Amino acid sequence: AQSVTQLDSHVSVSEGTPVLLRCNYSSSYSPSLFWYVQHPNKGLQLLLKYTSAATLVKGINGFEAEFKKSETSFHLTKPSAHMSDAAEYFCVVSDNPTSGTYKYIFGTGTRLKVLA
Amino acid sequence: EAQVTQNPRYLITVTGKKLTVTCSQNMNHEYMSWYRQDPGLGLRQIYYSMNVEVTDKGDVPEGYKVSRKEKRNFPLILESPSPNQTSLYFCASSPTILNYGYTFGSGTRLTVV
């Protein structure tokens, strides 16, 4: 079965420093992978997605993620954090289409704190 | 504007009083889903629908019902709410499953007393 693990529940960075949010997945086939962001009291917004094209994916607000099959990872990065990046981030993997369950599987989230 | 609209945004109700949370999307998406979000548990899928009249259980369907009579609407029904259904609920839609990602609604914060 597919699964996704976000390795850090909380990450703190200083404004202007790089951001790294880690995500590992387990899949028996080639999955689609997504990152979502949730600002306080808001819905989830799609940041970026990987769907078997280029392994380095660029998203909105300067975020990007690299799909590494050998490491089963899909880490989210940003060169320079901004105060407005403070939010919760979710890594998501698509379920195996042959399983018949047709699901997205969510990680438990990483809360990013940006220090002034 | 392409969006998923949920109503109400906030709801306080009493145990046992039936309620419906509405969800509507204007993107002609085939796939719709309901999630609940609880601290420490992340998002858990309640029900999903592949298309009109096609629904299936997610991971936590107990105490909930859904229907999909029209493509745009996917209401969540709590026939007899209980305090353990106090949560933040999200409706989401996708053109089809798997490769597109979701568009989420803004959420409904439900409190059952």
Side-chain angles (χ1 to χ4, degrees), chain B residues 44-63:
Chain B
R44 294 180 291 169
Q45 190 176 41
I46 303 170
Y47 270 94
Y48 64 93
S49 170
M50 298 290 289
N51 213 324
V52 176
E53 303 291 4
V54 181
T55 64
D56 207 348
K57 296 176 181 179
D59 298 314
V60 288
E62 295 77 21

Side-chain angles (χ1 to χ4, degrees), chain A residues 55-96:
Chain A
T55 56
L56 182 62
V57 181
K58 293 188 185 300
I60 61 173
N61 300 334
F63 284 95
E64 63 181 38
E66 186 170 8
F67 174 72
K68 292 187 176 180
K69 188 174 182 178
S70 60
E71 299 175 11
T72 61
S73 69
F74 190 58
H75 300 335
L76 182 70
T77 60
K78 183 174 181 178
S80 177
H82 191 272
M83 296 298 289
S84 61
D85 295 327
E88 188 152 24
Y89 293 79
F90 293 92
C91 182
V92 180
V93 64
S94 61
D95 201 359
N96 186 336

Side-chain angles (χ1 to χ4, degrees), chain A residues 22-36:
Chain A
R22 298 183 294 164
C23 173
N24 284 91
Y25 69 92
S26 171
S27 178
S28 56
Y29 83 116
S30 296
S32 295
L33 291 153
F34 309 83
W35 276 99
Y36 288 85

Side-chain angles (χ1 to χ4, degrees), chain A residues 29 32 34 36 38 41-44 46 49 51 88 90 94-95 97 100-104 106-108, chain B residues 9 31 35 37 42-43 45 48 50 58-59 88 90 94 96-102 104-106 109:
Chain A
Y29 83 116
S32 295
F34 309 83
Y36 288 85
Q38 184 182 27
N41 300 313
K42 301 285 189 186
L44 283 78
L46 182 65
K49 63 181 178 183
T51 56
E88 188 152 24
F90 293 92
S94 61
D95 201 359
T101 56
Y102 302 102
K103 288 182 180 181
Y104 292 106
F106 283 75
T108 51
Chain B
R9 287 293 309 275
Y31 185 88
Y35 288 86
Q37 184 178 26
L43 275 82
Q45 190 176 41
Y48 64 93
M50 298 290 289
D59 298 314
L88 179 58
F90 287 103
S94 176
T96 61
I97 186 57
L98 297 178
N99 287 341
Y100 290 90
Y102 281 128
F104 278 87
S106 298
R109 187 167 292 281

Side-chain angles (χ1 to χ4, degrees), chain B residues 27-44:
Chain B
M27 297 165 282
N28 201 38
H29 285 175
E30 290 185 351
Y31 185 88
M32 297 186 74
S33 186
W34 276 102
Y35 288 86
R36 61 179 289 174
Q37 184 178 26
D38 301 289
L41 297 176
L43 275 82
R44 294 180 291 169

